[in-house]
Amino acid sequence: MRTLKKATQSPVVVLTGEDEGRLAWQGAVARLDDPPESVAVVDLGGGSCELAVGAPSSGPSWVRSLDIGALRVTRAL
């Protein structure tokens, strides 16, 4: 992290899986013109997969991060 902080001259924050899931959910529903009552979001990354479910009016009520990202699963085969 020091190398990244030095290279970017910016603070570096490491997110928890739950934080990443909440941000993915917020990003996915932010621009919905006519959102449904409930929204489920799946954010598949290289090392993990975040799942989040909630109501656009109140935010995600359920968030999980699983160690089943695309790169991790591919390397395990």
Side-chain angles (χ1 to χ4, degrees):
M1 283 191 357
R2 281 188 222 142
T3 303
L4 181 58
K5 184 177 180 177
K6 184 177 178 181
T8 63
Q9 297 181 354
S10 298
V12 176
V13 177
V14 177
L15 299 175
T16 66
E18 187 169 307
D19 288 340
E20 188 175 351
R22 288 184 190 286
L23 289 171
W25 189 90
Q26 290 171 352
V29 301
R31 304 277 294 178
L32 292 176
D33 290 331
D34 187 22
E37 273 186 43
S38 294
V39 175
V41 172
V42 177
D43 177 18
L44 180 61
S48 63
C49 179
E50 283 68 45
L51 308 167
V53 178
S57 61
S58 59
S61 58
W62 185 88
V63 180
R64 295 294 182 275
S65 180
L66 306 169
D67 290 336
I68 55 168
L71 184 59
R72 187 182 303 252
V73 171
T74 301
R75 286 186 175 168
L77 297 176

